[in-house]
Amino acid sequence: MPPNGLRLYDYAASGNCYKVRLLLAQLEQPYERVPIDIFAGATLADEYALINQFRSTPVLEIEAGRYLLESNAILFFLASGTPFLPSDAIEQAEVVRWLIYEQTDLIPSIAGLRFRLLTGRFTAEHHDAVKRRKNGEDALDKVEAHLSSRAFLVAERYTIADIAVYGYLHVAADAGYDLDRWPSLREWLRTVAAQPRHVNDLLPYPANARPGAGRSIYEE
């Protein structure tokens, strides 16, 4: 474990894990990365339940035996006291608003749809895919309207609100979204990608992520 005690239990194809890796890179924080193969049953193991009873990724071990769950909670923890999280209470609340919106509106309609399309769980014409895409278009319309008059989501600077929302929006085309429809959003994606120490190490889903090819919380 590095001197700061950080260990990240991580799945390379997960946007939620990618968000944490992106912030750690931009903070220049060393950490030990522990690969978790979700579809090889790694999160179903009894040993993993001792780390995270919800059997999700990522998990950040912040000191020996002390674990922090949920990607956006991890972002908030890591960003505290840094320029990535405003100190003003109202601006912090605005950041939290976007962290919630990303999980409740963007994840199901974009990340969830992308996962199901890329792993063969849905076709583009599946009724649930059509419904999710319509919900996603409505959600992206709201993001577009917000970004039409500003460069960043909160406080006119780059924060973990941008990191959280960027985590899956930068691959929204994989879920069938034509980003030409949202020009302010496209410009914001370019702005985020141009930030210092930006990394894009989100990997494709491996073959064992397809239905019936592995063991995971998605099949159990």
Side-chain angles (χ1 to χ4, degrees):
M1 184 176 287
N4 61 6
L6 296 181
R7 177 182 285 145
L8 181 66
Y9 296 82
D10 166 82
Y11 181 61
S14 162
N16 280 326
C17 294
Y18 164 64
K19 295 182 304 188
V20 177
R21 297 196 303 270
L22 174 55
L23 178 59
L24 284 166
Q26 293 182 315
L27 287 170
E28 297 184 286
Q29 283 273 21
Y31 65 100
E32 179 184 350
R33 187 173 175 184
V34 182
I36 300 296
D37 190 340
I38 294 174
F39 295 96
T43 63
L44 301 177
D46 291 341
E47 294 81 5
Y48 194 78
L50 298 176
I51 295 171
N52 179 3
Q53 63 178 319
F54 299 102
R55 302 184 184 277
S56 58
T57 57
V59 173
L60 184 68
E61 188 172 3
I62 57 178
E63 58 186 48
R66 189 174 185 185
Y67 303 100
L68 189 58
L69 316 181
E70 297 298 330
S71 59
N72 288 345
I74 295 170
L75 292 183
F76 197 94
F77 167 77
L78 291 172
S80 295
T82 80
F84 295 91
L85 182 64
S87 57
D88 176 79
I90 294 176
E91 291 178 346
Q92 277 197 7
E94 285 293 313
V95 167
V96 171
R97 175 171 76 91
W98 282 104
L99 299 185
I100 294 170
Y101 187 71
E102 181 253 355
Q103 290 289 303
T104 59
D105 288 54
L106 298 176
I107 288 282
S109 58
I110 295 172
L113 177 57
R114 174 180 177 269
F115 166 70
R116 287 164 176 81
L117 290 174
L118 293 182
T119 60
R121 286 168 169 77
F122 283 174
T123 64
E125 296 75 28
H126 188 282
H127 65 89
D128 198 12
V130 173
K131 179 180 178 181
R132 284 175 185 252
R133 191 171 295 108
K134 174 60 170 64
N135 291 341
E137 289 170 351
D138 292 344
L140 292 178
D141 285 345
K142 294 180 176 66
V143 177
E144 172 72 15
H146 184 76
L147 289 171
S148 65
S149 60
R150 50 182 59 84
F152 298 104
L153 291 173
V154 177
E156 285 305 320
R157 72 174 193 264
Y158 181 61
T159 70
I160 56 170
D162 299 289
I163 291 175
V165 173
Y166 179 85
Y168 282 108
L169 291 201
H170 80 291
V171 289
D174 292 344
Y177 294 96
D178 181 1
L179 294 182
D180 287 343
R181 172 174 165 177
W182 299 283
S184 298
L185 172 58
R186 285 192 296 111
E187 180 59 29
W188 170 80
L189 289 171
R190 287 191 288 267
T191 299
V192 172
Q195 297 303 302
R197 298 177 297 280
H198 179 272
V199 295
N200 185 3
D201 60 355
L202 182 65
L203 296 184
Y205 287 107
N208 71 349
R210 297 190 68 83
R215 293 180 59 249
S216 74
I217 57 174
Y218 298 100
E219 276 80 33
E220 294 294 315

